[in-house]
Amino acid sequence: MNVVFLVIVLTAFLTAAWRELRHDPADGDSPMQALTTAMVDSAGGAVELAIGLVGVMTLFLGLMKIAEQGGLLVILAKLIRPVMVRLFPEVPANHPAMGAMILNFSANALGLGNAATPFGIRAMQELDKLNPHKGTATNSMALFLAINTSSITLLPTGVIALRAAAGSSEPAAILPTTLFATVCATTVAIMAALLYARWFPVRPLPIAEQPQAQDTGAAQTDAEKAESTEQDALPTESGEAYPGWVSALALLGVLGLIPLSILYGRIIAPWIIPGLMVGFLLFGVSRGVRIYEVFVDGAKEGFQVALRIIPYLVAILVAVGMFRASGAMEAMVGYIGGFTASLGMPAEALPMALLRPLSGSGAYGVMASIINDPAIGPDSYTGMLVSTLQGSTETTFYVLAVYFGAIQVRRIRHTLAAGLTADLAGIIGAVIICLLLFG
């Protein structure tokens, strides 16, 4: 992200400087003055955006906390267990790694990133216990992280919240597009990981480069600190599974949502957010959750999250504001906009597509800048596309760095290739479905 941030700012400055040298005072404000104004306005706009996001973020994380306390993660874990034992034949059915991976996927599907990361680190630690070649990724690790980078998001709560804060008339209208794109990305992630494994055989690291036992222990200690009490909260009942026919019906139900959401997405979109509110509250009551107290606890986390993103939003929105005010964006649109637009990818959305695998905060800032641009807006085709990209893909390089770093894996084999292939599939899927529904 350091390089990306510097490149954007430097490109904007050099473009504005070139235009300044050729500027005629009779034409009005100078490019450098416009650049200065854009920097100040973008910084203020980033803070206003984050403050406006506080209320919506606290609402959604409060509802998610009710679902989590009610055991929704465990229910999902039991549903997908029969699929997991087939995807990961190297992992014993009752091994702790299996339960941790299931909970990680379930948390990701619900948009519970704060819960997904500790479960993911725990899964990698358990998978490493089965690894005969320390320091080298196993096929199970590569497949697990490839699926993670494909996002497998069924409920992109963060993106919906940001769209609502940006004034969208239908903030949940991206649910059908996100579902389609994430299914494409996840399917390709699994296929790519299984295929690429044949081309990247396991080659153990030299003995001198293999992680030492004490180093591994230290890495696990750091991970345990990051997990806090989440690690101890892994439900033991998540290792059990529902009967196969129940899981099959649930899978068919999810697959059936894809054509229904495509055909009737615009009709059901206004019902989604009120329905989620009522549904989660009733679910919590049915499970004996003290919904008011738990909602408030989750809302506190949402408030903190919204405030923590202010520095990231200021940095990226100032850089993007400079890029646009300098004329660099206009030049890029002029050069390649016609070609990419013919493929369904407007030039304004290109930075978002390129940044998403590199930096979650950077892509988040670019999306926020686009949907808050009065000339584009959250409900335009471009606004829908970047919202779908944000909700249906993951920050590949960040995921690999955090999860492999927790167990000191240096030879990642085909993991990155599978993750980037999934990212590409998600982008293509997002373009196709957005063209179909909003193009």
Side-chain angles (χ1 to χ4, degrees):
M1 190 56 194
N2 294 315
V3 175
V4 173
F5 182 67
L6 177 61
V7 168
I8 294 175
V9 173
L10 193 58
T11 300
F13 176 81
L14 293 176
T15 303
W18 173 254
R19 294 179 61 204
E20 180 75 19
L21 294 176
R22 305 176 61 186
H23 176 68
D24 184 351
D27 294 337
D29 292 339
S30 68
M32 276 298 175
Q33 183 60 45
L35 194 66
T36 301
T37 302
M39 293 173 63
V40 175
D41 291 345
S42 298
V47 176
E48 292 176 3
L49 173 62
I51 293 176
L53 184 60
V54 168
V56 188
M57 186 70 77
T58 54
L59 169 63
F60 276 102
L61 287 188
L63 293 176
M64 287 294 98
K65 193 72 172 179
I66 292 175
E68 184 181 356
Q69 290 292 318
L72 187 57
L73 288 180
V74 175
I75 294 175
L76 292 176
K78 292 180 179 181
L79 284 174
I80 65 176
R81 180 174 172 79
V83 178
M84 293 288 291
V85 295
R86 289 168 175 79
L87 282 177
F88 298 91
E90 301 173 354
V91 182
N94 295 321
H95 195 275
M98 190 67 75
M101 286 192 294
I102 290 173
L103 291 174
N104 171 266
F105 293 154
S106 301
N108 271 325
L110 292 176
L112 295 172
N114 292 336
T117 299
F119 293 150
I121 293 176
R122 174 74 180 276
M124 291 296 285
Q125 291 176 339
E126 296 296 337
L127 287 174
D128 197 46
K129 294 178 181 178
L130 301 173
N131 186 3
H133 306 294
K134 301 300 182 183
T136 299
T138 64
N139 290 340
S140 295
M141 290 178 182
L143 178 57
F144 172 62
L145 292 190
I147 296 175
N148 257 274
T149 59
S150 68
S151 190
I152 55 172
T153 305
L154 302 180
L155 189 59
T157 52
V159 181
I160 293 175
L162 185 60
R163 287 175 52 79
S168 172
S169 60
E170 295 180 354
I174 62 164
L175 278 179
T177 58
T178 299
L179 180 60
F180 180 85
T182 197
V183 167
C184 291
T186 303
T187 302
V188 171
I190 295 172
M191 296 172 60
L194 297 177
L195 176 63
Y196 296 166
R198 304 177 182 178
W199 303 340
F200 293 83
V202 177
R203 293 197 302 269
L205 286 173
I207 296 178
E209 298 182 17
Q210 291 184 8
Q212 300 299 317
Q214 61 269 26
D215 294 335
T216 303
Q220 291 177 348
T221 299
D222 292 338
E224 289 168 0
K225 292 179 181 178
E227 292 176 66
S228 184
T229 58
E230 293 275 0
Q231 177 170 328
D232 297 330
L234 284 173
T236 55
E237 63 269 25
S238 64
E240 304 171 358
Y242 291 122
W245 63 270
V246 176
S247 299
L249 286 178
L251 180 60
L252 290 175
V254 172
L255 294 177
L257 289 176
I258 299 176
L260 289 177
S261 62
I262 293 175
L263 292 174
Y264 303 106
R266 288 183 176 272
I267 298 176
I268 65 174
W271 294 77
I272 292 175
I273 293 180
L276 286 175
M277 178 81 176
V278 174
F280 281 134
L281 291 180
L282 291 178
F283 174 80
V285 170
S286 68
R287 305 285 289 187
V289 176
R290 299 178 66 85
I291 56 174
Y292 180 76
E293 289 85 351
V294 172
F295 178 89
V296 171
D297 289 339
K300 292 177 182 178
E301 297 178 10
F303 182 81
Q304 296 168 358
V305 169
L307 293 183
R308 281 200 302 267
I309 67 174
I310 289 180
Y312 299 99
L313 285 177
V314 170
I316 195 63
L317 290 184
V318 167
V320 172
M322 292 176 63
F323 192 72
R324 290 180 173 174
S326 68
M329 177 68 78
E330 182 181 354
M332 185 179 72
V333 171
Y335 282 120
I336 64 175
F339 173 73
T340 58
S342 65
L343 300 177
M345 176 66 72
E348 296 88 347
L350 277 177
M352 169 71 190
L354 296 175
L355 269 178
R356 191 66 182 103
L358 297 171
S359 169
S361 58
Y364 191 84
V366 171
M367 181 196 68
S369 175
I370 290 175
I371 66 176
N372 281 277
D373 186 344
I376 300 176
D379 296 327
S380 65
Y381 169 77
T382 301
M384 291 292 187
L385 177 59
V386 296
S387 300
T388 302
L389 291 174
Q390 179 71 20
S392 62
T393 54
E394 189 52 88
T395 313
T396 301
F397 288 87
Y398 171 81
V399 169
L400 266 59
V402 171
Y403 286 7
F404 277 139
I407 57 174
Q408 291 192 326
V409 166
R410 301 177 185 176
R411 184 168 289 167
I412 65 173
R413 298 175 62 220
H414 56 291
T415 311
L416 178 59
L420 292 179
T421 303
D423 290 337
L424 179 60
I427 292 172
I428 295 174
V431 169
I432 291 174
I433 192 63
C434 286
L435 277 175
L436 181 62
L437 294 183
F438 309 112

